[in-house]
Amino acid sequence: MNLPGSCALFLFECIIRIIMEEKACAGNSAILLIHCPDMRGVVSSVTEFIFKNKGNILSLEQHVDPIKDVFFMRIEWDMSGFSIPREKIGESFGSLIGDPFNMQWTLNYSGEVPRMAIFVSKLPHCLYDILARYKSGELKVDIPLIISNHKHLKHIADQFGMCFHHSEITPQNKQGQEKSQLALMREHKISFVVLARYMQILTKDFVNHYPNRIINIHHSFLPAFPGAKPYHSAYDRGVKVIGATSHYVTSELDAGPIIAQDVTRVSHTDAVEDLIRKGRDLEKLVLSRAIRSHVERKTLVYDNRTVVFS
Amino acid sequence: MNLPGSCALFLFECIIRIIMEEKACAGNSAILLIHCPDMRGVVSSVTEFIFKNKGNILSLEQHVDPIKDVFFMRIEWDMSGFSIPREKIGESFGSLIGDPFNMQWTLNYSGEVPRMAIFVSKLPHCLYDILARYKSGELKVDIPLIISNHKHLKHIADQFGMCFHHSEITPQNKQGQEKSQLALMREHKISFVVLARYMQILTKDFVNHYPNRIINIHHSFLPAFPGAKPYHSAYDRGVKVIGATSHYVTSELDAGPIIAQDVTRVSHTDAVEDLIRKGRDLEKLVLSRAIRSHVERKTLVYDNRTVVFS
Amino acid sequence: MNLPGSCALFLFECIIRIIMEEKACAGNSAILLIHCPDMRGVVSSVTEFIFKNKGNILSLEQHVDPIKDVFFMRIEWDMSGFSIPREKIGESFGSLIGDPFNMQWTLNYSGEVPRMAIFVSKLPHCLYDILARYKSGELKVDIPLIISNHKHLKHIADQFGMCFHHSEITPQNKQGQEKSQLALMREHKISFVVLARYMQILTKDFVNHYPNRIINIHHSFLPAFPGAKPYHSAYDRGVKVIGATSHYVTSELDAGPIIAQDVTRVSHTDAVEDLIRKGRDLEKLVLSRAIRSHVERKTLVYDNRTVVFS
Amino acid sequence: MNLPGSCALFLFECIIRIIMEEKACAGNSAILLIHCPDMRGVVSSVTEFIFKNKGNILSLEQHVDPIKDVFFMRIEWDMSGFSIPREKIGESFGSLIGDPFNMQWTLNYSGEVPRMAIFVSKLPHCLYDILARYKSGELKVDIPLIISNHKHLKHIADQFGMCFHHSEITPQNKQGQEKSQLALMREHKISFVVLARYMQILTKDFVNHYPNRIINIHHSFLPAFPGAKPYHSAYDRGVKVIGATSHYVTSELDAGPIIAQDVTRVSHTDAVEDLIRKGRDLEKLVLSRAIRSHVERKTLVYDNRTVVFS
């Protein structure tokens, strides 16, 4: 792929960020996300592991699903002075705690900056919002790639100095284009994807490459009004609130685990265009909250529902 | 029908209210609700009618549905000094304004207290809420009748000194019981009905006796989760907001015109019982808002949607 | 004190409740609320104490105040099978964990029903709301005592079968009356107090008898509009939201630690009476949330701020 | 003043907009904002004036302040076919209706695009938000001028192709700089000003040049926490909601008439930085709502309060 000129600025920024993050990493923290069958001693064992190795717990949240008897935990501790070196923690934790408790767990570090791809079509508001948050330092990610099935928003990517990849989709070329997109994403080491009002349905195969790592924003309070034109449907039904829903994409349309939702009031005075206008603000807010939760490793998916730690 | 002893207090209260309202009626206001095809001169003609007859407009709200080209208005004016006597206003307005503009209109007076029947089953929270609002004077209605298919809440009616009518429903006796209920409602001159978590589906015939005058509270943000057990469905779907919807009852279940809706946040930490608990507060609020709008003649129904003036 | 006749029903109910709770206590859980200087090993030590004694943790929430370096925790565990008998847990925990970590801690059991006194004046809405929640089993407290400086709401206490104590306050008799009230509260073993729109300022001495155990509802979003007539002030200032604040009472008026707050939208169309009406719903909701948090031992006060676990 | 190169694009856009608006003006509507002492016949007279001259009313909102006896109205009508030419409407309306009713009124046309100046300091979020709304066509204004007392945000103005004017402020040069700013604003025919987190207090003299035409965003729910560092004060007070307030600037700091307010929940888990982060989203939303109301001529100021029509 040829990098357009606008990407030069981006690369420069990346280098600056890497330098700055190196420093940040010095005072880094580790984040462990866990779920396992609920049983006595889980919290005690995990916290003891951290304590004995001289970690100071910065935050701990746990949740028990009383119906499924599943235990969930997010625990973050200060790594300065931790007695196990980073590259050995996983091995040590897995054998001592993870395996005996039959855990599924992931270990991350606060200094690791996830690499996010944005997919867009023609609507600019979510893209503007994400890029403004990114540029002002609020959103701790790298964004090496913006992919679109249209050229309409290229000028925004250019304006912010971001890479924009146009990938036109037709029913005939869809599979091939998705393959190219996946190749591009591998090349850029993309860790998760944000569909910022991307007006294409991804194939099951594409979704399977990024399980629970593709975040969509749908412009209704799901499960009401799935599919196309939810604001029109909301108008027709005469609802008094409209909403937006951010969820992980699964192979079933608009049915994946919900990460964040919010609503706003509407009335008979609001035409469809007013719903669309009010909805835009909701979409931006809800999507950015979902991205934030994902980036801070605060989401766990189980049985098509999410645990979203605060 | 035999009035239970608890109704004595109620009758006494009614007499007091009637005396007090007589006085209130002196400084009464008229409320006109209108809808008609949109055309030039409607507002001007209506306001001129009031002005020429020495009425002072207290509030005016209008709305134009730009898709259906329908005009809606609620106008309220001070009757003191109005030059047309009350009993002639309808005739005069109809021939001069209503007919030429092809209007559908209703005329009411702020001093007229609507007579409300409450239908309940086993859940007490909405009943408590309505009766507390009624007793503290917030809700300007008379409540001559509480009907229930169970005896569970009779003690609450008794406690508040209200009439309670038990009307057990089985699949076999439903039609007959509804007939008796309708007779009872006629006898008590009921002007509208509130289903305060009434767990029976009314027949089409019953609904047709009170078109746009039966207010239901459904415990979800419709159109999501219609029908039974919406909190369980909301839990299963993993939504992050739950809601309540108050609507006029039509022959199609949970599909009538929506009067009021509201939502509250929930999270993975909320079990179904928490959703039910949080939902109770929503149901009370949303139902009481809908009743208030109806009682103040602020609702108009058109094409299965409502105009709810503020 | 002579118990009025209406209290007979109440006493009967109490007996029923006690019998039922005995059973509930069988499957009881313990709740530990802790705060101490933040240091390594707190979570690990507390959870290990519970684990080693065969307790199963039902919920755990912790918080670190990063400015003051204070650690807060609420931990609840299932007592069935716990190896230390109830009456020894405090002693054991204190010497093994509490003292070494310099903790302040309280231990409670979910089966213990707190005894709440309600103070009211003339406004009925919060009283109705609390009693309806109590009677329908939502609010897990005993309410042996309603105290008022007016007789206006006695009929509500009677109607719900509750004890009502009239205690008229004048500038001259205030100190004496408060002494009688305190005596009455001791007699009824009151564990905390709810001021449900009680229109008297408590003396410092009274407040000191129930530190962080007197919950007030103030009808504004504090710190805006403290003191008298906040809705009038809100109207004059032309705010677009009004609020309600529930807080623990301290000797400084409306300045105690905030437990819960909420707001609702208003506009130029709302007269002061509309603010008062809309505010009533807020007050009920916010007060009931605060009571619930307190009753479930989810509140901790530190430095005039609260930690309110979810 | 020398226009920086980045302004070239802006000028081009302006030309395009002017061409497009000419067309839009063809199907233009007139907007009349009125306030006057309340008396019989106002609505009737105004609507008759429009009707007789063949205007079709598109929307009408009125409000009566019952305490001050002041009448407020916003009325918008379709100008196509209106029998009075634009340039004569004011004269005609004034002599026939305005003067007799002792009205204060302003007449605008929906096709007239207000010219807005943005003042900023160092914080980018509101500027990004406004410019994104402007560029995507949501905000119907021209923005010929961005003024800042710092250079920090110049790159954003450049990136969006907007004019940026740096105007450093010291206690010594403040008066002179404000004079230059006012001259610049005259030159650019600025109709109103938005302070998008501008960290300078404007002099009384400056404010008097744009009465009720300077919109500020303050980062608290006023009247709580006026002045500097409201998020820190909110944290210290331990509030459970934070807010943002948009108001017209008057000579008294943070005390002008409020246009829009909103709040969001916070808890003990939120550090000051979290309040700042959550607050940013509020500030953007509230400011954009206030700008929108102003631009659509939906605001009226009376007695330091606003009427904001929906």
Side-chain angles (χ1 to χ4, degrees), chain D residues 38-108:
Chain D
D38 189 28
M39 65 175 77
R40 254 173 223 183
V42 189
V43 183
S44 162
S45 302
V46 174
T47 55
E48 202 191 359
F49 172 83
I50 294 165
F51 173 56
K52 285 205 173 154
N53 290 299
K54 304 203 195 326
N56 192 28
I57 295 171
L58 298 173
S59 79
L60 181 162
E61 282 187 90
Q62 60 113 55
H63 171 62
V64 177
D65 182 322
I67 296 171
K68 309 247 156 78
D69 263 330
V70 180
F71 173 87
F72 301 87
M73 184 158 71
R74 182 188 189 275
I75 189 160
E76 182 168 2
W77 70 93
D78 189 352
M79 283 289 290
S80 50
F82 199 63
S83 58
I84 310 178
R86 238 187 220 226
E87 62 279 8
K88 302 262 172 139
I89 298 176
E91 193 187 306
S92 175
F93 180 81
S95 59
L96 285 171
I97 318 275
D99 296 348
F101 281 100
N102 203 13
M103 281 177 184
Q104 297 198 32
W105 56 271
T106 53
L107 181 63
N108 286 284

Side-chain angles (χ1 to χ4, degrees), chain A residues 63 221-223 225 235 237-241 254-256 258-259 261-263 265 268 289 305-308, chain B residues 63 221-223 225 235 237-241 254-256 258-259 261-263 265 268 289 305-308:
Chain A
H63 171 63
F221 49 86
L222 290 173
F225 313 124
Y235 180 86
R237 182 62 188 90
V239 293
K240 302 301 186 187
V241 286
D254 296 331
I258 294 171
I259 310 168
Q261 287 189 298
D262 211 342
V263 305
R265 295 219 182 155
H268 64 271
R289 280 180 206 148
R305 291 162 42 92
T306 59
V307 169
V308 181
Chain B
H63 171 61
F221 49 86
L222 291 172
F225 313 123
Y235 180 86
R237 181 61 188 89
V239 292
K240 301 300 185 190
V241 285
D254 295 333
I258 294 171
I259 310 168
Q261 287 188 299
D262 211 343
V263 305
R265 295 216 181 157
H268 64 272
R289 279 180 207 149
R305 292 161 42 93
T306 59
V307 169
V308 181

Side-chain angles (χ1 to χ4, degrees), chain B residues 126-140:
Chain B
C126 286
L127 182 60
Y128 268 130
D129 188 67
I130 293 170
L131 295 182
R133 288 174 197 273
Y134 166 71
K135 285 291 179 184
S136 47
E138 180 184 320
L139 191 54
K140 312 291 192 211

Side-chain angles (χ1 to χ4, degrees), chain C:
Chain C
M1 189 189 67
N2 269 327
L3 279 187
S6 64
C7 297
L9 179 60
F10 172 73
L11 285 174
F12 177 72
E13 268 189 35
C14 284
I15 293 162
I16 296 295
R17 279 180 181 241
I18 287 163
I19 292 166
M20 289 175 66
E21 272 141 23
E22 291 287 303
K23 273 169 40 187
C25 286
N28 209 353
S29 63
I31 300 161
L32 197 53
L33 277 174
I34 293 168
H35 69 101
C36 65
D38 189 28
M39 65 175 76
R40 253 173 225 187
V42 189
V43 183
S44 162
S45 302
V46 174
T47 55
E48 202 190 357
F49 172 83
I50 295 166
F51 173 58
K52 285 205 170 153
N53 290 298
K54 303 202 195 327
N56 190 27
I57 295 171
L58 298 174
S59 79
L60 180 162
E61 284 187 88
Q62 61 114 53
H63 171 62
V64 178
D65 183 322
I67 296 172
K68 309 246 156 77
D69 263 330
V70 180
F71 173 87
F72 302 88
M73 184 156 72
R74 181 188 188 277
I75 189 161
E76 182 168 0
W77 69 93
D78 188 353
M79 284 289 291
S80 51
F82 199 64
S83 58
I84 311 178
R86 237 186 221 229
E87 62 278 9
K88 302 262 173 141
I89 297 177
E91 192 186 307
S92 174
F93 179 81
S95 59
L96 285 171
I97 318 274
D99 296 347
F101 281 100
N102 202 15
M103 282 179 185
Q104 298 197 32
W105 56 271
T106 54
L107 181 63
N108 286 285
Y109 298 93
S110 62
E112 292 166 352
V113 178
R115 296 171 67 79
M116 173 172 122
I118 308 176
F119 279 59
V120 289
S121 291
K122 294 182 178 176
L123 294 173
H125 57 286
C126 286
L127 182 60
Y128 268 130
D129 188 69
I130 292 169
L131 295 182
R133 287 174 197 274
Y134 166 70
K135 285 292 178 181
S136 47
E138 181 184 319
L139 191 55
K140 311 291 192 209
V141 295
D142 285 333
I143 309 177
L145 198 53
I146 300 171
I147 290 177
S148 180
N149 57 333
H150 294 283
K151 287 185 175 167
H152 291 66
L153 305 184
K154 185 177 182 306
H155 72 282
I156 298 177
D158 290 351
Q159 167 192 347
F160 280 85
M162 314 297 292
C163 298
F164 183 90
H165 183 81
H166 178 223
S167 163
E168 198 177 15
I169 306 277
T170 63
Q172 287 73 40
N173 75 357
K174 186 161 193 162
Q175 261 190 312
Q177 289 293 62
E178 281 198 350
K179 273 196 182 153
S180 310
Q181 291 170 351
L182 285 167
L184 208 54
M185 288 159 68
R186 259 191 311 274
E187 186 189 322
H188 283 88
K189 298 191 175 52
I190 295 303
S191 45
F192 76 108
V193 176
V194 168
L195 309 183
R197 299 298 309 273
Y198 183 58
M199 292 289 140
Q200 287 285 325
I201 298 173
L202 302 174
T203 65
K204 195 172 171 177
D205 181 61
F206 188 102
V207 172
N208 287 342
H209 278 82
Y210 287 86
N212 297 329
R213 290 192 290 148
I214 304 175
I215 298 174
N216 186 40
I217 180 71
H218 182 76
H219 38 315
S220 81
F221 48 86
L222 290 173
F225 313 125
K229 296 210 169 268
Y231 290 127
H232 291 78
S233 306
Y235 180 86
D236 290 341
R237 182 62 188 90
V239 293
K240 302 300 186 189
V241 286
I242 55 166
T245 304
S246 196
H247 62 95
Y248 287 118
V249 175
T250 58
S251 56
E252 194 185 337
L253 183 65
D254 296 332
I258 294 171
I259 310 168
Q261 287 188 298
D262 210 343
V263 304
T264 198
R265 295 218 182 157
V266 295
S267 78
H268 64 272
T269 63
D270 290 303
V272 172
E273 304 82 62
D274 297 305
L275 304 193
I276 291 170
R277 171 178 54 81
K278 290 183 171 184
R280 277 196 298 260
D281 281 340
L282 276 179
E283 294 163 30
K284 291 185 287 186
L285 281 178
V286 170
L287 180 56
S288 74
R289 279 179 207 149
I291 295 174
R292 182 180 175 82
S293 293
H294 182 89
V295 167
E296 297 188 343
R297 284 87 178 186
K298 292 189 167 169
T299 61
L300 269 167
V301 174
Y302 185 80
D303 213 15
N304 211 45
R305 292 160 42 91
T306 59
V307 169
V308 181
F309 292 118
S310 57

Side-chain angles (χ1 to χ4, degrees), chain D residues 6-19 134 161:
Chain D
S6 65
C7 298
L9 178 59
F10 173 73
L11 285 173
F12 177 70
E13 268 188 35
C14 284
I15 292 162
I16 296 295
R17 278 181 181 240
I18 287 164
I19 292 166
Y134 166 70

